[in-house]
Amino acid sequence: LGIEIDACCLNIMIKGLYKKGELEGAFKVFDEFPKMDLKRNERTFATLMHGLCDKGMVDDGFGLLERMKEEGIVVDVVVYNVLIHGLVKNERVDEGIRVLEDVGVILMSSYQHV
């Protein structure tokens, strides 16, 4: 049909799969990016983190954060928001506050370098 699959399409598939409760399928799509010569981006990671956090798998979400950093993808505010929300939703409020404080330090440090 002349339709080319791109990262946006795969991100939508990931979201649809985790919303159906199919995290395994979402991870399979996540793993397809390099096979299709596509780059995962901050939305890809945030979408999958959201699915993990919704299932109470916040520590796995933080594992994806580390993987994201290893792949050299810039971590944005949305990613931290997803993780903080996941912590709070799973009654880990103190940890959420610590992450929020860490993000504040990171943001302040980046403004000082400008």
Side-chain angles (χ1 to χ4, degrees):
L1 297 173
I3 298 172
E4 191 172 319
I5 294 179
D6 62 5
C8 183
C9 292
L10 294 181
N11 288 345
I12 292 168
M13 289 176 66
I14 288 170
K15 185 173 185 175
L17 287 164
Y18 94 68
K19 284 198 172 256
K20 284 183 63 181
E22 298 179 22
L23 271 176
E24 186 177 322
F27 271 100
K28 285 181 181 177
V29 173
F30 181 82
D31 292 337
E32 287 298 314
F33 276 78
K35 296 175 189 172
M36 298 177 72
D37 202 29
L38 295 171
K39 291 192 178 251
R40 294 180 273 240
N41 58 32
E42 63 278 357
R43 285 307 126 249
T44 309
F45 280 87
T47 301
L48 200 46
M49 286 173 188
H50 188 74
L52 289 168
C53 289
D54 277 355
K55 300 292 182 200
M57 302 168 68
V58 180
D59 293 331
D60 292 323
F62 277 93
L64 275 180
L65 175 65
E66 292 308 311
R67 189 167 171 186
M68 186 177 177
K69 290 175 182 178
E70 289 169 7
E71 290 187 22
I73 299 169
V74 176
V75 181
D76 65 5
V77 174
V78 174
V79 169
Y80 283 114
N81 186 46
V82 167
L83 294 171
I84 291 167
H85 177 72
L87 288 167
V88 171
K89 181 179 178 183
N90 287 281
E91 300 179 12
R92 295 168 63 179
V93 176
D94 291 341
E95 290 174 78
I97 291 169
R98 279 194 300 277
V99 171
L100 183 59
E101 290 169 346
D102 292 345
V103 172
V105 169
I106 292 167
L107 290 175
M108 291 304 292
S109 140
S110 66
Y111 283 121
Q112 291 172 355
H113 290 100
V114 174

